[in-house]
Amino acid sequence: SRGSEMCIRDRKNALVMYANKMKINLLSAFGAFLCITALAYLNGLQGGSLWLIPPFGASMVLVMAVHESPLAHPKNILFGHIFSALSGVLVYMLFGYSPVSIGIAVALAIFVMMTTKTVHPPAGANPIIAVVGAKGLTFVLMPVAIGASFIVLFAIIYNRLLKRKYFTFKDWNQLLNSK
């Protein structure tokens, strides 16, 4: 009776909670699908241009699955990617390709992200791409800065549509006006 009613109610509550969690997971995965598919489509349209780099997949994990994390903050995504790519390009320009230059590039990227408070772990792969791929300064603009900007705009809009707590354009204005 009373005990079995509570047990049934507890099971129903657990089932509802599980269904809500699965809905959130599905919406997060779908958001990543939409954004990465769009970048891949743009990549296919531009024969010589690269819109899509592997670190962007990891960035999507952060903006969709743990969007409230400081590591998923737009400032961290955009500048973490840019500073890391720039670190790799500069190290490559100075030292060329070698195992040591790859290590220096990643170390420099970490130092710069920590110093500028723009740590974004997926961006730690950018210096490796820059050194191994012998990338020049254009790599920092395209695909890195443009792709990261695309991800940030997508994440702001998508998370807002889902009424999730995420960085907003109002936050951006407050950030700019506080300096």
Side-chain angles (χ1 to χ4, degrees):
S1 12
R2 186 157 168 86
S4 63
E5 286 176 21
M6 283 187 69
C7 188
I8 291 171
R9 187 174 45 223
D10 289 345
R11 284 186 194 152
K12 284 182 182 177
N13 287 341
L15 190 57
V16 168
M17 287 175 31
Y18 179 77
N20 285 337
K21 181 71 172 163
M22 289 300 106
K23 178 183 171 188
I24 291 167
N25 294 352
L26 187 60
L27 288 170
S28 295
F30 185 67
F33 161 77
L34 290 175
C35 187
I36 293 298
T37 299
L39 284 170
Y41 179 77
L42 292 169
N43 192 71
L45 287 179
Q46 303 280 330
S49 296
L50 183 68
W51 280 80
L52 191 60
I53 53 175
F56 289 166
S59 293
M60 291 308 301
V61 172
L62 291 172
V63 299
M64 291 294 117
V66 290
H67 52 276
E68 292 185 44
S69 166
L71 302 174
H73 192 284
K75 171 184 67 106
N76 294 53
I77 295 168
L78 182 62
F79 293 110
H81 276 296
I82 290 171
F83 294 152
S84 292
L86 188 58
S87 297
V89 168
L90 292 176
V91 168
Y92 178 75
M93 292 170 112
L94 292 172
F95 305 111
Y97 171 82
S98 75
V100 172
S101 63
I102 294 169
I104 291 170
V106 171
L108 178 60
I110 291 168
F111 173 80
V112 171
M113 285 191 292
M114 289 178 72
T115 302
T116 60
K117 296 182 173 139
T118 58
V119 172
H120 184 64
N126 292 345
I128 297 170
I129 295 169
V131 174
V132 172
K135 302 295 184 184
L137 286 173
T138 56
F139 172 73
V140 177
L141 178 62
M142 180 70 162
V144 175
I146 292 173
S149 297
F150 186 92
I151 290 170
V152 165
L153 288 173
F154 178 87
I156 289 171
I157 293 165
Y158 189 77
N159 283 311
R160 184 160 179 101
L161 287 172
L162 296 179
K163 297 180 179 16
R164 294 197 216 185
K165 185 175 190 279
Y166 188 66
F167 188 83
T168 64
F169 292 107
K170 182 181 174 186
D171 296 329
W172 187 264
N173 287 333
Q174 289 174 349
L175 183 67
L176 293 175
N177 292 331
S178 69
K179 292 186 178 187

